[in-house]
Amino acid sequence: MSHFSGALQLTDLDDFITPSQECIKPVQIEKTQTTTGAKISIGEDGSYNQMDVSGSFQKLEKVEITLADCLACSGCITSAEGVLITQQSQDELLRVFQENKKCDKNEAKLIIVSISIQPILSLAVRYNLAPNECAARLAGYFKHLGADIVVDMSLAEGFAVLENQKEFLNRFKNAPKTLPMLASSCPGFVCYAEKTHGNFILPYISTVKSPQQIMGSLLKSTLSKKWDGKLVYHVTVMPCYDKKLEASRSEFFDADSQTRDVDCVITSIELEQMLTREGITLLDMPKSTYSQPWLDGNEEIEIQLTRNLGSGSGGYSDNILKRAAKELIGLECDEIVYKNLRNPDFKEILLQNNQGEVALRFAIANGFRNIQNVVQKLKRGKCHYHYIEVMACPSGCLNGGAQARSQDGTHSKDLIVALELMYEKLPVLNLYEINEFAKVIISKEEMMRTEYKAVEKINTALNIKW
Amino acid sequence: MGKLELNQTLGKHTGRVWNVAWHPKGEVFASCGEDKTIRLWSKEFGKWSNKVILADGHKRTIREIAWSPCGNYIASASFDATTSIWDKKSGQFECNTTLEGHENEVKSVAWSQSGQLLATCSRDKSVWVWDVAEEDEYECAAVLNAHSQDVKKVTFHPNKNLLASASYDNTVKIFKEDPSDNDWICVSTLSSHESTVWSLAFDKTGSRLATCSDDKTVKIWQEYAAGNKEGIPTGDEESVWKCVCTLSGYHTRTVYDISWCRKTGLIATACGDDVIRVFKEEENSDPNAPNFAMVTCIEKSHQQDVNCVAWSPNGDILISCSDDGEIKVWKYTE
């Protein structure tokens, strides 16, 4: 069973042939050129050695398909799962922690962990802890493993919301043809759009990076001077598997430093497994604090979790609507109430201006079936929304595909309700403060933006589908 | 004993004929195939003739067609990954809606009895349920990834919103709508076939399901609702489906299609051994362990694989179609 969201599970799967057999991604092998035929021998360890003209052996590079290769290929997506297991797994994370402990202090990497809100709530329910305590103990767990700094992803979430508001207002006023603007923070949806609908859908998707990737840029670029030349290894804690694919996108790879903005994504369910494997629960971990390296003093603070206004998927729709209503139609909307459409995962809100005309049409569409309805409506020119918060998982990110499963046989829907209630009780992030921060920290807008490209369908003889 | 008599052979399609489907009134039927056309057949001077050809709807083979219960729409499933809806609003059948979403070949399409739902399935292993909204808008109500392989066939229950699907993963799955979020969920998996399940058909009550397979057998499944008098254990409120009869030893190759007549209760099968067979439940047979006997069979009914059989609504005519490019009309008499 694949761990990806429904949107990705369905993309170019194949029967009859297993993914590994079907992977037709050509891989370039780097080896020295020979003019005559090369002699290749297999070593005792199973490695391949090529004998060159002088008679000396050169070990051949093993062919490896990376996640980035998978993203660039129009073939299957599920075969990427095998790659994930080696590149972005709990084992890899533990290995990095171990190595870092062993190596010389000057060479050690600075390990920073960014934690998003959804996994904290998932684990809070799992271990029966209050959210703040859960986050504190989770921070304690990462410090126990060897993390140097643990930070709250909410800063990046705030940045993402602000930048989305800006982009929406700009599109609405200057480029109405690029509406509806579609949320970009769900990698399942973005990847599905790139592979399946290409240039048709991509212009509608917001060009603002997801919070995960904003955090990556912030830590690896904007704040790079803070780390005294140390290499940063950046771990994010996320509610879904698809985030691993996002972290592997070539857009988020820095050729100069040869590192990614996010080196490893670890999910709620994997954290649960790591704890179980160690035979401990979060309760066994001491409470720790979050750091704020973006402040001058880099002070440690007691954890006070916040949430965004609106949905548990980052609250994009509510926040953008609130700002748009104010700036475009002079309306203060204090209460935003959506109307469910055909199913509760597709809901809309229509706001009227002073003349009583509908001026803003916003929607939230969760789950793969509703992605289909959005895409098909767009294709037929019948999609009249200005903004749609699109997420691949039913019920959005609180129900992310890699959130911990219910323990006591509680129905998964009850679990989502519990998570939603917990989320709603958190204090709302102060966007005004975040905006003040942004003015100081964000020197250039590009740091917050990214781009998408359609994946061309490969039509080679190797890829014929009967 | 019954008798099938060849009435007419219809050879207009070029290439394989994949499917035939009766209009609910039984005066017209449609056929489709490799030549990417849908043909409508009706009787003229006592002979079936091809009156209408619907072309240009699909870029690849049309695998299956289905009439809406009102008879005003035809849905066609194609290897080009789309499903087209043809309507008669302009007086003639025209394709006005195309449903996209499947990754590759759509294998089957079915309407619910109310005409409010449409189901499709594909080689992409998924089953999709579409809601027929106003103005011929079709909304995706569910994408079901329950099967682990190619899904060959979908069909709705004759009077409930219950959907059954047959797959290359050797199983049949039954789905129903979950009222809490209007999504569809798999409520049973019927495992017993040892190879691909190619087709399936409910009887007129919907409490029985017949399935046919690459394992050369036909199986009859009986529904046992919660609290059934036989004392068969069930889930909370879900029925269980139990295989109560396996017809083996008759078919010598893959059984591709099965049609359960809602009028006469007769079961007809289409087989890769070029034979059409008709089965009848024996009188006084135990409903929990019924016996079915073969009442007739036509050897070499076609020159190649028989792809589909379809009883007319009256139960007096059986239509078959084959890889040999022909459609045959058979008259059934007791």
Side-chain angles (χ1 to χ4, degrees):
Chain A
M1 191 63 193
S2 170
H3 291 100
F4 289 116
S5 67
L8 291 186
Q9 278 181 45
L10 207 87
T11 300
D12 269 306
L13 296 188
D14 210 348
D15 47 345
F16 308 114
I17 312 169
T18 63
S20 59
Q21 281 175 293
E22 208 207 359
C23 178
I24 42 94
K25 177 78 190 151
V27 180
Q28 195 179 358
I29 306 165
E30 291 197 13
K31 56 178 181 123
T32 43
Q33 290 293 319
T34 53
T35 44
T36 57
K39 194 172 175 181
I40 295 171
S41 64
I42 302 170
E44 278 177 12
D45 57 351
S47 65
Y48 290 82
N49 300 294
Q50 178 179 308
M51 190 173 71
D52 63 18
V53 212
S54 64
S56 64
F57 280 93
Q58 181 204 358
K59 193 168 175 183
L60 289 177
E61 292 270 334
K62 222 162 136 192
V63 174
E64 274 178 6
I65 305 282
T66 66
L67 270 179
D69 289 329
C70 287
L71 283 169
C73 173
S74 69
C76 60
I77 185 85
T78 37
S79 59
E81 190 141 8
V83 184
L84 284 179
I85 289 161
T86 51
Q87 290 184 345
Q88 294 214 23
S89 62
Q90 359 173 339
D91 291 341
E92 172 68 8
L93 182 65
L94 292 174
R95 191 190 62 78
V96 170
F97 276 128
Q98 288 300 330
E99 268 188 10
N100 220 41
K101 275 182 189 163
K102 275 187 253 158
C103 73
D104 187 79
K105 269 225 164 110
N106 298 321
E107 285 171 20
K109 290 174 184 161
L110 186 77
I111 301 180
I112 308 182
V113 181
S114 308
I115 308 183
S116 60
I117 186 70
Q118 294 88 355
I120 295 174
L121 299 187
S122 172
L123 294 170
V125 169
R126 168 68 181 82
Y127 295 107
N128 201 17
L129 294 168
N132 283 331
E133 186 187 350
C134 178
R137 294 193 189 274
L138 196 54
Y141 176 59
F142 279 111
K143 298 259 171 80
H144 148 84
L145 289 176
D148 297 292
I149 295 175
V150 180
V151 299
D152 187 348
M153 188 87 89
S154 69
L155 177 75
E157 284 172 18
F159 283 174
V161 162
L162 290 166
E163 195 65 17
N164 266 282
Q165 290 176 331
K166 220 194 283 176
E167 182 182 17
F168 178 79
L169 291 172
N170 185 40
R171 285 189 187 219
F172 193 93
K173 291 175 193 157
N174 305 320
K177 281 193 176 145
T178 63
L179 297 177
M181 182 166 116
L182 306 177
S184 59
S185 69
C186 172
F189 170 60
V190 169
C191 193
Y192 173 77
E194 286 184 321
K195 283 186 176 243
T196 317
H197 297 284
N199 290 326
F200 179 76
I201 288 286
L202 299 181
Y204 298 106
I205 300 180
S206 159
T207 59
V208 179
K209 283 181 190 172
S210 73
Q212 167 172 285
Q213 296 310 135
I214 290 177
M215 203 67 198
S217 303
L218 198 63
L219 293 175
K220 291 244 176 159
S221 310
T222 315
L223 300 177
S224 60
K225 290 197 187 78
K226 285 230 165 187
W227 318 127
D228 301 328
K230 273 194 162 184
L231 265 184
V232 171
Y233 185 81
H234 182 204
V235 182
T236 59
V237 179
M238 303 303 289
C240 86
Y241 236 68
D242 299 2
K243 283 281 167 193
K244 295 178 191 246
L245 277 178
E246 180 180 83
S248 309
R249 292 174 70 91
S250 59
E251 292 83 359
F252 306 137
F253 180 76
D254 182 41
D256 293 340
S257 64
Q258 288 289 304
T259 67
R260 301 188 176 282
D261 292 344
V262 176
D263 295 281
C264 183
V265 177
I266 207 84
T267 61
S268 320
I269 208 163
E270 288 165 298
L271 275 170
E272 185 191 5
Q273 287 163 1
M274 285 163 72
L275 289 162
T276 310
R277 231 199 291 177
E278 267 194 71
I280 52 175
T281 82
L282 272 186
L283 271 168
D284 301 319
M285 289 292 119
K287 290 190 212 172
S288 185
T289 48
Y290 276 164
S291 302
Q292 297 181 297
W294 41 86
L295 296 183
D296 286 339
N298 186 21
E299 59 197 272
E300 296 283 316
I301 46 155
E302 199 188 323
I303 294 176
Q304 289 292 337
L305 297 170
T306 54
R307 69 174 177 102
N308 280 315
L309 186 75
S311 75
S313 313
Y316 294 97
S317 179
D318 285 48
N319 279 294
I320 298 170
L321 181 67
K322 211 170 151 82
R323 175 122 177 241
K326 192 171 175 185
E327 295 203 8
L328 300 171
I329 54 177
L331 196 74
E332 285 286 350
C333 46
D334 297 321
E335 209 185 355
I336 297 173
V337 183
Y338 294 84
K339 190 180 100 190
N340 282 357
L341 298 181
R342 232 149 240 285
N343 59 65
D345 266 336
F346 201 142
K347 46 192 180 181
E348 66 172 24
I349 179 167
L350 310 176
L351 278 194
Q352 294 180 343
N353 60 18
N354 290 332
Q355 286 82 49
E357 298 152 346
V358 174
L360 290 169
R361 296 185 189 85
F362 276 50
I364 296 178
N366 291 325
F368 186 61
R369 59 177 167 160
N370 291 319
I371 287 183
Q372 285 306 312
N373 290 325
V374 167
V375 168
Q376 297 309 325
K377 279 205 173 77
L378 268 172
K379 282 200 163 173
R380 285 188 223 130
K382 287 189 173 175
C383 190
H384 305 303
Y385 294 111
H386 295 113
Y387 181 83
I388 310 177
E389 184 183 299
V390 186
M391 302 290 155
C393 292
S395 306
C397 298
L398 285 172
N399 184 37
Q403 294 278 67
R405 307 289 185 262
S406 88
Q407 288 300 302
D408 51 2
T410 320
H411 200 265
S412 62
K413 276 167 196 147
D414 298 336
L415 180 61
I416 300 161
V417 171
L419 289 172
E420 282 170 347
L421 281 176
M422 206 179 234
Y423 185 76
E424 278 160 25
K425 282 189 192 139
L426 296 173
V428 173
L429 182 71
N430 186 332
L431 274 186
Y432 178 79
E433 272 176 26
I434 298 287
N435 196 24
E436 293 304 301
F437 261 139
K439 283 181 196 161
V440 181
I441 297 171
I442 311 294
S443 49
K444 43 181 198 268
E445 193 188 60
E446 296 89 83
M447 173 241 160
M448 310 271 271
R449 300 297 181 107
T450 184
E451 53 194 24
Y452 315 103
K453 49 184 183 297
V455 177
E456 297 288 329
K457 295 266 180 204
I458 305 175
N459 281 315
T460 66
L462 285 167
N463 201 27
I464 288 175
K465 299 203 168 166
W466 299 98
Chain B
M1 280 287 137
K3 199 169 73 172
L4 274 181
E5 235 177 322
L6 180 64
N7 233 329
Q8 213 180 325
T9 300
L10 310 169
K12 289 273 186 178
H13 279 284
T14 34
R16 299 167 182 212
V17 189
W18 276 115
N19 191 244
V20 287
W22 283 97
H23 182 279
K25 287 208 174 107
E27 284 154 9
V28 177
F29 70 86
S31 62
C32 66
E34 208 173 13
D35 63 7
K36 305 182 268 263
T37 66
I38 299 169
R39 287 165 189 267
L40 303 187
W41 306 80
S42 52
K43 259 188 162 172
E44 199 177 54
F45 308 117
K47 289 278 175 199
W48 291 95
S49 62
N50 179 202
K51 290 289 187 198
V52 180
I53 301 174
L54 306 177
D56 303 327
H58 289 289
K59 295 191 188 77
R60 289 182 65 193
T61 293
I62 302 177
R63 181 64 179 84
E64 196 173 290
I65 46 197
W67 292 88
S68 63
C70 64
N72 293 330
Y73 298 86
I74 298 173
S76 56
S78 164
F79 284 0
D80 68 10
T82 70
T83 306
S84 291
I85 313 292
W86 308 73
D87 67 57
K88 238 182 359 190
K89 287 190 182 132
S90 67
Q92 292 170 333
F93 274 106
E94 275 176 3
C95 173
N96 286 318
T97 308
T98 301
L99 307 180
E100 294 176 23
H102 279 296
E103 278 295 318
N104 45 43
E105 292 88 331
V106 186
K107 297 289 180 80
S108 173
V109 58
W111 297 87
S112 68
Q113 198 51 43
S114 64
Q116 286 302 301
L117 298 167
L118 196 69
T120 57
C121 65
S122 159
R123 194 165 72 91
D124 69 13
K125 308 174 191 177
S126 65
V127 172
W128 294 44
V129 182
W130 307 82
D131 229 321
V132 184
E134 60 282 1
E135 293 168 45
D136 292 336
E137 279 288 307
Y138 291 75
E139 294 220 8
C140 172
V143 177
L144 303 162
N145 289 311
H147 283 293
S148 61
Q149 297 289 346
D150 191 1
V151 189
K152 300 290 188 189
K153 179 92 178 176
V154 280
T155 193
F156 276 96
H157 188 279
N159 49 51
K160 289 184 202 154
N161 276 345
L162 209 62
L163 176 68
S165 61
S167 163
Y168 184 80
D169 69 10
N170 305 355
T171 70
V172 168
K173 290 193 186 269
I174 297 191
F175 302 94
K176 74 168 196 187
E177 192 177 11
D178 178 349
S180 75
D181 61 0
N182 309 102
D183 206 347
W184 285 63
I185 43 173
C186 175
V187 289
S188 336
T189 299
L190 283 53
S191 324
S192 175
H193 279 297
E194 285 162 9
S195 187
T196 306
V197 188
W198 275 93
S199 187
L200 69 183
F202 282 102
D203 72 348
K204 67 173 174 226
T205 66
S207 63
R208 276 184 179 175
L209 183 67
T211 56
C212 63
S213 161
D214 181 53
D215 67 10
K216 300 174 197 156
T217 70
V218 165
K219 286 179 189 281
I220 311 291
W221 307 77
Q222 173 75 44
E223 178 185 21
Y224 293 95
N228 61 81
K229 63 178 190 297
E230 289 84 3
I232 309 281
T234 65
D236 299 337
E237 280 169 24
E238 296 303 336
S239 299
V240 293
W241 292 80
K242 258 187 71 175
C243 178
V244 289
C245 174
T246 299
L247 298 171
S248 55
Y250 295 103
H251 301 88
T252 62
R253 292 206 177 182
T254 305
V255 193
Y256 288 117
D257 195 27
I258 190 157
S259 176
W260 200 331
C261 183
R262 303 251 161 113
K263 198 88 175 180
T264 62
L266 293 171
I267 292 175
T269 61
C271 184
D273 59 13
D274 310 345
V275 182
I276 296 171
R277 296 174 176 86
V278 178
F279 298 89
K280 188 180 183 183
E281 185 175 0
E282 286 176 5
E283 277 173 40
N284 307 322
S285 85
D286 177 358
N288 299 308
N291 286 322
F292 281 78
M294 188 166 79
V295 290
T296 186
C297 78
I298 306 286
E299 303 272 344
K300 299 196 180 88
S301 64
H302 284 272
Q303 288 160 37
Q304 291 175 49
D305 292 5
V306 189
N307 289 321
C308 169
V309 281
W311 287 110
S312 64
N314 276 338
D316 54 346
I317 303 174
L318 184 76
I319 298 186
S320 61
C321 64
S322 159
D323 277 0
D324 66 13
E326 289 184 336
I327 298 166
K328 290 190 176 178
V329 183
W330 309 83
K331 185 160 179 55
Y332 183 82
T333 43
E334 280 286 327

